Amino acid sequence: MVKNLIFTVTISLLAIYLSGVIITESINPLDIAQSLKVRTMGISPNVPFYETTRYEVGHIFQPLHNYPEYAPITLEQAENAPYRRNSPTTEIKIATVGDNYQIKERWNYRRKPQYILLNEEQLVSLKSIENGNHFFVLDDNLRLQPVTIEEAIMLPNYIKVVKEVGKIISIEKKPLVSIFKQEYQYRALSGKRQFFKKIHFSIDKKSIFSSLFSEYNENGKVLYYITRDAKDNVISKEIINPEGSKYYSETTLFNAQGEKTNIIYNAINGKNKNEHLDQNGNILEVTYDNDQFIGSPDFEEDERYQTLEIDSSKKYNIVDDLDPET
């Protein structure tokens, strides 16, 4: 009888294991456990969810296997995301996992909120609002027009008004500063990240400002990064050097004609070595610089929102990245 029980339990465990293999396309027990954990969070493949902006200890950069670490949050929590210590902006993250329950794509909407003061006419129009959170846009005459929270989080600019116990306690403008999308692909058996792409979009998401693509080896170490501009021209390529090299990586910059203009040797410590090249690839001069930012500038705020008076009496709390808040 005991042998039959052991056999039954063994078969049951094997069935669970094999079902996990089918679900995740992985033979790694750790990955199977992770995928089951994600399922218990209520996350389903190919269904977008609002993702928290906090991080697990030691995971400031997403782990190579890239499973969601926390359960989804509500739209209201996502809209009210705090300032994080590693960024002077707030973020809304909308993520989707693939059939393997690893993050497949993530949309990031970054905003630069500020407390503001409204004029008398605008304040009068708010007298009848009920307690709660309310969202508005400014029309051409600078009058407040209500929008839903679903509409607000996708708009370039909106105003949030919070009323409690019959009193308005805060008024914010929330201009959008950037939109980018992250895409991930993984190795079928190990589940480790194989490719990563980050795309910066225009404010209406109809065109691309720039994109970054990277590839990883079988051990999950990044091999290179390639950055392209709006016309899909390569503007930089960074190759990661083997461990023990004098420089962490080498970045080559290109102009609009595809010609090399610089080769930057990125230091592990100290300043980078920057070789400036002529049209024939000869070194013109060598300088020693700090890190050079290659990316898209923040969106410009609509003029009508720029004219709103800032409320200097209110300040935002800075929340630690590991804080258990949303």
Side-chain angles (χ1 to χ4, degrees), residues 59-323:
H59 288 175
I60 295 301
F61 298 101
Q62 285 288 345
L64 291 174
H65 289 73
N66 212 14
Y67 291 98
E69 297 176 281
Y70 302 100
I73 60 175
T74 65
L75 170 57
E76 289 73 19
Q77 289 173 316
E79 191 282 329
N80 198 40
Y83 268 89
R84 291 292 178 189
R85 191 168 299 281
N86 70 339
S87 175
T89 57
T90 63
E91 234 179 343
I92 289 182
K93 295 183 177 183
I94 305 175
T96 306
V97 300
D99 294 333
N100 55 5
Y101 289 90
Q102 294 170 276
I103 297 291
K104 180 174 69 173
E105 67 176 38
R106 177 187 290 114
W107 285 93
N108 295 61
Y109 297 83
R110 287 185 177 169
R111 294 183 181 272
K112 184 75 172 178
Q114 286 182 294
Y115 288 111
I116 58 170
L117 299 169
L118 297 179
N119 63 36
E120 186 175 350
E121 181 183 355
Q122 292 165 337
L123 288 173
V124 168
S125 70
L126 296 176
K127 280 189 174 181
S128 61
I129 64 172
E130 299 178 351
N131 291 331
N133 299 335
H134 302 268
F135 304 89
F136 303 90
V137 293
L138 293 175
D139 65 16
D140 293 338
N141 297 312
L142 301 185
R143 296 191 183 95
L144 297 172
Q145 303 297 326
V147 294
T148 65
I149 184 174
E150 291 85 0
E151 293 170 330
I153 64 168
M154 296 295 161
L155 292 172
N157 299 273
Y158 69 90
I159 292 171
K160 179 182 181 180
V161 178
V162 179
K163 188 175 185 179
E164 293 182 2
V165 198
K167 182 180 179 182
I168 293 176
I169 63 168
S170 68
I171 305 172
E172 300 171 272
K173 66 173 182 176
K174 292 198 168 186
L176 192 63
V177 295
S178 69
I179 302 172
F180 60 90
K181 180 184 180 185
Q182 298 166 316
E183 299 176 349
Y184 300 87
Q185 292 184 37
Y186 307 91
R187 295 185 184 276
L189 294 180
S190 69
K192 291 184 178 179
R193 192 181 304 175
Q194 184 174 11
F195 300 110
F196 168 72
K197 190 173 186 179
K198 182 177 181 179
I199 308 167
H200 278 264
F201 285 88
S202 61
I203 202 165
D204 59 5
K205 296 204 304 187
K206 292 183 179 180
S207 57
I208 294 174
F209 283 151
S210 65
S211 64
L212 178 145
F213 178 84
S214 60
E215 183 178 359
Y216 298 75
N217 66 18
E218 292 183 355
N219 296 320
K221 298 287 186 180
V222 66
L223 298 172
Y224 60 82
Y225 298 97
I226 295 177
T227 304
R228 297 177 180 272
D229 63 15
K231 296 181 179 179
D232 207 34
N233 297 317
V234 175
I235 56 176
S236 74
K237 182 172 183 178
E238 180 180 6
I239 298 176
I240 308 302
N241 292 329
E243 291 185 12
S245 300
K246 181 179 180 181
Y247 294 99
Y248 167 75
S249 65
E250 298 175 14
T251 302
T252 303
L253 305 184
F254 302 85
N255 60 21
Q257 290 71 44
E259 300 167 337
K260 296 179 182 180
T261 61
N262 301 75
I263 298 178
I264 302 171
Y265 298 86
N266 301 295
I268 298 173
N269 294 302
K271 293 189 175 182
N272 301 331
K273 177 183 176 182
N274 187 344
E275 295 180 348
H276 302 257
L277 310 178
D278 63 17
Q279 292 180 339
N280 297 317
N282 300 312
I283 299 175
L284 293 173
E285 65 172 327
V286 177
T287 59
Y288 293 86
D289 312 315
N290 293 320
D291 291 342
Q292 294 194 8
F293 173 76
I294 300 174
S296 301
D298 290 345
F299 299 143
E300 290 189 11
E301 187 179 2
D302 190 301
E303 185 176 354
R304 72 187 74 184
Y305 293 87
Q306 290 181 16
T307 61
L308 295 168
E309 185 178 354
I310 303 301
D311 184 356
S312 57
S313 68
K314 294 182 180 293
K315 303 293 182 183
Y316 288 98
N317 293 325
I318 303 297
V319 176
D320 192 271
D321 295 310
L322 306 180
D323 193 282

